[in-house]
Amino acid sequence: MAEIRPFKAWRYNYKLRKQIDELTSPLFDVVSEKQRARLYQNPHNSIHLSVPQGENAAWKAGQTLRQWKDEKVIVQDMVPGIYSYYQYFTLPGDTKEYCRKGFIAFIRAYDWVDKVLMRHESTMPHSVDDRVAILEETKLNVSPTHGLYTDPDFQIEAMLDASIQRPIYEAEDYQGVRDVLGVVNDAESIRKIVSIMKDKQIILADGHHRYEGSLRYKKMQLAKEPTATGKEAFNYHMMYFTNTEAHDLRILPTHRLLKNIPDFAPAQLLEKLAPYFIIKPVENASDVNEIILGKQWAFGLLMGDEAYKIRLKPECIDLIDWNFPDKIKELDLTVMHYFIFEKILGIAGKDQTRSEKISFERNFTECHSSVLSGEAQFAVITKDISIETIKEVCLSGYTLPQKSTYFYPKVICGFLFGSIQEDEFTSPFDSSF
């Protein structure tokens, strides 16, 4: 079902390999303002392509790319390959080192109705517009999105293990993660990987906006080229693939920060929550994460220097009148967005994607600090989501609210770039695969 293909990556000149730590950057939707300011100071950092600054930002990215090519800051690989990408990491409170194994290749940009690639989150339109603009100017996939395939036999990993022994790059990123890039470029191994992936459905784990950007760009080009064959470069998208059956797939919770709520008063919020939720004060805010673990429809609530555990009253679940199947209605995130945001705060479900009152924060400490400082009026602390839940949502045909998942670790930008410029995309070796 999933058509993937090797590609000739654009990568930083071999002379710059020892500086790779200084050239990589976080993905566009997680990079902080402070990180941007520091990274922009390096004229060759990948952020100039992924998050160009100022007016006419997309045009600037195109100018930068052309300059880098002319000056050989980046150079295209001579032969196509599938790039192995391993991420070594630890988790708080755990001394074990994990390794998430995956590979980067191009995949045909499938429409959602094809049910080859399945999404689990909704997107924010303005972020898609931004990605399309950069793609139009650069004809470049600046960073890979993250797709999940299922293979309990782990057929691909052995080939990746061999290639990672001869790394192209090795770097420590902003997350404290050790990133290692290798390449599989022998024809037999590539054919095997392409063949194994043919019967797979792909779940889009991360990068919904970037994928939507590729999909929209493809449709724009097809409108201009009615005789297109389907083999053109604009039909493809660069993706990082990992196996759902591996034990090193981590999904962290993303909490909600609320601000700009008119006439907000903590006591009034608690009063409005009471008909739907059981409310219990928590003495130490830092305990909230553990207190809500394993409890259905339970959330942490931070307001000023006070903390609460709130849990939906079981009889209230039937009040949800959104047109969702029961499995979706019963998700924690549906409960949060329906009762807290729509019923209590009056932010309709259809408006929540664009609402400036809701923002997202993965780090609990940052949530607590924002509330204590008054930057946010309150925070809703959530729990992580299992891969089984994500599979269920995808198969249902529905999506979770935006920013519902945080797959960890994030891939980084700057190890490689994937061109969809026709003369850079095609290769005399294509028939070999």
Side-chain angles (χ1 to χ4, degrees), residues 336-398:
M336 176 178 63
H337 279 260
Y338 180 81
F339 286 101
I340 301 177
F341 301 155
E342 179 165 292
K343 297 294 287 183
I344 293 169
L345 297 181
I347 308 171
K350 63 183 177 60
D351 299 326
Q352 290 173 14
T353 299
R354 298 178 174 85
S355 177
E356 294 181 355
K357 298 174 182 176
I358 306 170
S359 59
F360 308 88
E361 176 56 59
R362 182 182 62 84
N363 188 289
F364 174 85
T365 303
E366 288 294 325
C367 284
H368 197 203
S369 297
S370 294
V371 171
L372 288 173
S373 69
E375 182 182 341
Q377 291 165 314
F378 70 96
V380 182
I381 305 303
T382 64
K383 303 187 293 292
D384 56 3
I385 300 176
S386 69
I387 186 62
E388 288 73 23
T389 296
I390 290 173
K391 287 180 179 179
E392 285 182 4
V393 171
C394 288
L395 291 172
S396 75
Y398 289 83

Side-chain angles (χ1 to χ4, degrees), residues 20-52:
I20 195 66
D21 281 4
E22 301 166 18
L23 302 173
T24 61
S25 60
L27 298 176
F28 89 101
D29 55 348
V30 297
V31 63
S32 68
E33 291 294 335
K34 187 175 181 180
Q35 286 172 322
R36 290 187 196 190
R38 179 179 61 82
L39 297 172
Y40 284 140
Q41 293 176 19
N42 185 330
H44 293 150
N45 188 278
S46 53
I47 198 165
H48 293 287
L49 297 182
S50 62
V51 194

